[in-house]
């Protein structure tokens, strides 16, 4: 793996991203939105098996939302066998397990395996998606060595074609390209405050609260101060926010001083 | 967690699945396809903030492909603040990080956290999705405690609204509901053959190949037999397939015998 697959040449080389094969797609819009989903997840190679309304179809480009170059490079094939003839591994998406003996994967496990096959072993792979209404038929499925079944609500499995492509593309991107840490704290220009900076603010706040009489109940004072400290510790306050909070305390205190309460 | 959330009552109870909030959605079709994606992933509670064309809209039901009851129960709100007033945690999806200090999660980490918040702690949570063209604005975002950013191709982040809902719903289902093993070998009525059954077939095959002269080169014979064994070991052959293979050997041998070659 020598860098990100940008689809620059849009020719499926072995060892790249998998080829998406839409088998007998019915609606041009779905071909376009499937291409858009492919681009979202870094898949660039599209093959069409016997599209119902022929090819090219302008409505596909209209629906592709900037992924037109994937459609420009798509190839049309008469049969599934022809579409996968140069591939080493073929996955097929299928919501319904039928009376077929086969290896089956979740979308995530399939994506991990595709990374291994394409990037680890340098082989060319394809993923088959069936027609909108019926899905892949048994003869289509017999061209695949592995099935992919998405874990989704069994009471509502009906998935739009582009949604099916989207999930595979999303999992591909997550397995192949992405190293985003799952949890981040975005601070942009500022940074998390140091405990010393926080302590400076908390001391000042306590002093001001003492001055205005908020902490006059000496029995309760330690608990109240501790509770305030807990809250300010919890939210990972930034240096910038701390400056704003200092300003808030200044302004609130000024009001008190103007009203003439003794400091 | 006492079982699967079927959305039976479609009232968002605390500790259930998160509420999906579409903020100022523009197209009725997108509201319908978003509801369909919600059903796919086991999300049932929909709230709409100031939908551009009003509500209800028949085209939303037409596009929802069986998820109409989610639309039937959707509530309309004038502001984001109103839509999330009864929620304890609010996540917001946002593709572009702006100059805001915030906690940020991948879709997967957000889903895990939603499970913890909803099912583990019994709180009510919401996830905000912005308008199609512009996404959530800064004032919308300020109602959220956590941002969600999907790891996707940075060169092509433009995501259809329903696709954005689909990925969240898919990750929710995978985190909350699904225990599908990532890899399975589906054998349906049959089962993987025992090594004894496989051995029976391989012995017979070897005998037949000896008989027809295929293994006459005695120097090469051990290697050839071993190679055949390797291939038949690799594919986890089932008991049913083994019977078919016995039949194949029988029929091929019969041809040879009919042609009169000595056994």
């Amino acid at each position: 793996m020598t860098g990100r697959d940008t689809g620059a040449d849009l020719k499926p080389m072995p060892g790249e991203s998998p080829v998406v094969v839409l088998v007998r797609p019915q609606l041009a819009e779905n071909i376009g939105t499937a291409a858009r989903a492919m681009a979202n997840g870094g898949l660039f190679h599209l093959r069409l098996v016997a599209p119902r309304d022929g090819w090219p179809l302008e409505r596909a480009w209209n629906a592709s939302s900037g992924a037109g170059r994937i459609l420009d490079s798509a190839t049309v094939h008469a049969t599934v066998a022809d579409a996968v003839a140069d591939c080493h591994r073929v996955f097929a998406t299928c919501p319904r397990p039928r009376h077929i003996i086969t290896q089956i994967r979740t979308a995530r496990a399939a994506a991990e395996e595709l990374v291994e096959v394409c990037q680890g072993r340098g082989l060319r792979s394809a993923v088959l998606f069936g027609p909108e209404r019926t899905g892949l038929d048994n003869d289509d499925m017999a061209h695949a060595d592995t099935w992919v079944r998405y874990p989704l609500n069994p009471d509502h499995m009906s998935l739009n074609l582009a949604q099916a492509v989207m999930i595979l593309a999303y999992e591909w991107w997550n397995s192949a390209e992405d190293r985003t840490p799952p949890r981040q704290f975005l601070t942009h220009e500022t940074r998390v405050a140091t405990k010393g900076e926080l302590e400076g603010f908390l001391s000042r706040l306590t002093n001001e609260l003492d001055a205005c009489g908020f902490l006059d109940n000496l029995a309760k004072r330690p608990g109240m101060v501790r509770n305030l400290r807990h809250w300010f510790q919890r939210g990972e306050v930034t240096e910038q926010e701390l400056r704003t909070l200092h300003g808030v305390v200044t302004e609130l205190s000024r009001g008190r001083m103007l009203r003439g309460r003794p400091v």
Side-chain angles (χ1 to χ4, degrees), chain A residues 185-191:
Chain A
F185 182 40
L186 279 196
T187 56
H188 292 291
E189 301 72 14
T190 183
R191 56 171 174 75

Side-chain angles (χ1 to χ4, degrees), chain A residues 23 27-28 47 58 97 135 140 149 170 184 206 210 225 242 257:
Chain A
V23 179
L27 298 174
R47 296 177 181 180
E58 195 184 340
D140 299 328
R149 201 162 79 219
Y170 166 77
Q184 282 178 281
T206 310
D210 273 328
V225 170
L242 219 42
M257 287 186 285

Side-chain angles (χ1 to χ4, degrees), chain A residues 6-7 10 20 31-32 34-48 55 61 64 66-75:
Chain A
T6 62
L10 294 172
V20 169
I31 301 173
R36 178 180 181 181
M38 288 171 63
N40 290 144
L43 299 176
F44 300 104
H45 311 301
L46 177 62
R47 296 177 181 180
L48 306 173
W55 191 257
W61 271 261
S64 71
R69 67 194 189 115
I70 291 175
L71 299 174
D72 297 339
S73 304
T75 53

Side-chain angles (χ1 to χ4, degrees), chain A residues 16-29:
Chain A
E16 264 197 3
S17 56
V19 176
V20 169
V21 182
L22 303 185
V23 179
R24 301 183 299 280
Q26 300 179 304
L27 298 174
E29 285 78 4

Side-chain angles (χ1 to χ4, degrees), chain A residues 6-257:
Chain A
T6 62
D9 61 357
L10 294 172
K11 297 271 181 250
M13 305 294 287
E16 264 197 3
S17 56
V19 176
V20 169
V21 182
L22 303 185
V23 179
R24 301 183 299 280
Q26 300 179 304
L27 298 174
E29 285 78 4
N30 287 342
I31 301 173
T33 50
R36 178 180 181 181
M38 288 171 63
N40 290 144
L43 299 176
F44 300 104
H45 311 301
L46 177 62
R47 296 177 181 180
L48 306 173
V49 174
R52 186 189 67 182
D53 299 334
W55 191 257
L57 296 162
E58 195 184 340
R59 279 169 296 131
W61 271 261
N62 296 343
S64 71
S65 187
R69 67 194 189 115
I70 291 175
L71 299 174
D72 297 339
S73 304
T75 53
V76 179
H77 304 262
T79 63
V80 172
D82 180 40
V84 302
D86 64 344
C87 297
H88 306 94
R89 285 289 304 274
V90 177
F91 292 69
T93 56
C94 177
R96 291 172 297 275
R98 289 173 241 193
H99 301 285
I100 293 178
I101 296 156
T102 193
Q103 291 286 349
I104 194 154
R105 304 284 181 266
T106 61
R108 192 160 303 162
E112 288 163 5
E113 209 161 310
L114 283 165
V115 171
E116 179 199 319
V117 167
C118 294
Q119 299 186 335
R121 299 168 60 196
L123 301 180
R124 193 187 280 111
S125 67
V127 185
L128 310 181
F129 293 85
E132 288 90 335
R133 290 255 173 107
T134 55
L136 296 168
D137 68 26
N138 287 350
D139 287 333
D140 299 328
M141 300 298 291
H143 290 281
D145 43 69
T146 311
W147 285 17
V148 186
R149 201 162 79 219
Y150 298 166
L152 283 171
N153 183 359
D155 298 329
H156 196 100
M157 285 293 281
S158 156
L159 209 58
N160 171 276
L161 178 56
Q163 300 281 43
V165 173
M166 182 77 243
I167 287 176
L168 196 277
Y170 166 77
E171 288 288 8
W172 164 261
W173 184 267
N174 276 268
S175 291
E177 302 287 349
D178 206 79
R179 300 292 173 268
T180 306
R183 292 170 176 77
Q184 282 178 281
F185 182 40
L186 279 196
T187 56
H188 292 291
E189 301 72 14
T190 183
R191 56 171 174 75
V192 174
T194 64
K195 292 301 179 187
E197 288 163 342
L198 179 58
E199 192 56 38
F201 170 76
L202 289 172
S203 301
R204 184 173 160 223
L205 178 65
T206 310
N207 289 341
E208 293 288 350
L209 293 176
D210 273 328
C212 73
F214 185 74
L215 299 173
D216 277 358
N217 184 330
L218 290 180
K220 290 191 173 174
R221 187 180 180 284
M224 290 173 78
V225 170
R226 206 161 41 234
N227 286 349
L228 280 167
R229 299 186 77 87
H230 276 303
W231 154 247
F232 281 102
Q233 295 284 1
R234 202 187 307 147
E236 276 197 283
V237 70
T238 65
E239 184 270 336
Q240 185 190 90
E241 287 161 342
L242 219 42
R243 275 186 280 127
T244 305
L245 290 170
H246 272 291
V248 167
V249 171
T250 300
E251 288 305 309
L252 292 177
S253 308
R254 193 196 310 277
R256 171 174 52 79
M257 287 186 285

